Amino acid sequence: MENGISDLKINGHGSSAGGKYNSVTINGNGSINGDLECVYLRVNGQGNVKGNTKAESFKINGNSSIKGDLSAEKVKVKGMTHIEWNLSVEEAETYGNINIGGDCNAEMFRVDGMFAVEGLLNAGELRLNLHGPSRAREIGGEKITVKRMSRFGLRGLKNFIWPHGHDKGLNADVIEGDDVYLENTCAKVVRGNNVELGPECEIELVEYNESFKQDEKAEVGDYRQI
């Protein structure tokens, strides 16, 4: 207990009202019915919060859903997480799948698996090691690295992101950063100081300030220095 605020534990199957807690732990299948504010939120199994969530540390081993916004200092997911609205975080690591219905703002955003951001994905540094189809409407950051990895072990997650089975790695309208490296990416516009396109990219327009490199297996409609 910290500063007189109680802990909350759900073991097995259960639910609780929202509120302010120190530590919230779900082992099994648990639901929080309302807005939640806590220092630590940990889920081992299935955890659902039916409201906005604010935590210093948010750790998931299994599946979780947030029916609102999530604000945290650190997020670590091993499995699947669905955030209905926006994610604001200092550092996020996902090993599996994260689905964000609104915008995502982070200092560091790392994915080993797949992701979907329906709005803007903005981060100081993005490291995206993709094991399957992923998407964001717009992506912005200082350093953006997108690599295609093996999908071994993650095939079962495919339909969670792409119900119609689109097979390209990353799809976005606009990708903009200082230093940009992309593989297996489809985008209308890629813009940056230094842009490098690896294999399997399909880009309509590249705008660069200092340097531009293109793999022989990358397709570019047009490029220009700005």
Side-chain angles (χ1 to χ4, degrees), residues 32-180:
I32 309 295
N33 299 315
D35 293 344
L36 174 66
E37 182 177 350
C38 60
V39 179
Y40 307 103
L41 174 57
R42 295 182 176 89
V43 175
N44 296 300
Q46 175 75 42
N48 305 300
V49 180
K50 299 176 182 179
N52 297 318
T53 302
K54 183 177 181 180
E56 290 183 14
S57 176
F58 178 75
K59 293 184 178 181
I60 303 298
N61 289 296
N63 299 335
S64 68
S65 67
I66 306 294
K67 302 294 184 180
D69 295 329
L70 172 61
S71 176
E73 291 184 11
K74 188 168 184 178
V75 170
K76 189 170 185 178
V77 176
K78 293 183 178 179
M80 295 186 186
T81 289
H82 177 83
I83 301 166
E84 192 165 294
W85 296 112
N86 303 308
L87 171 63
S88 298
V89 64
E90 292 292 316
E91 181 180 347
E93 292 181 83
T94 299
Y95 301 91
N97 194 315
I98 186 167
N99 190 319
I100 301 167
D103 297 333
C104 175
N105 289 285
E107 289 298 317
M108 163 65 79
F109 189 76
R110 175 176 176 176
V111 173
D112 277 276
M114 296 183 289
F115 75 93
V117 177
E118 299 303 330
L120 170 66
L121 170 56
N122 183 61
E125 182 174 355
L126 289 99
R127 290 188 287 172
L128 309 177
N129 298 322
L130 301 182
H131 298 253
S134 300
R135 69 176 183 269
R137 182 169 55 82
E138 295 185 16
I139 297 175
E142 296 174 10
K143 185 174 182 180
I144 300 171
T145 304
V146 178
K147 295 184 177 181
R148 180 177 184 175
M149 311 300 287
S150 168
R151 287 192 291 180
F152 179 75
L154 290 169
R155 292 183 186 275
L157 301 181
K158 183 174 180 179
N159 290 335
F160 182 78
I161 282 284
W162 285 94
H164 301 297
H166 196 292
D167 199 33
K168 192 52 102 168
L170 173 62
N171 280 259
D173 289 339
V174 178
I175 300 174
E176 183 170 358
D178 292 334
D179 297 298
V180 180

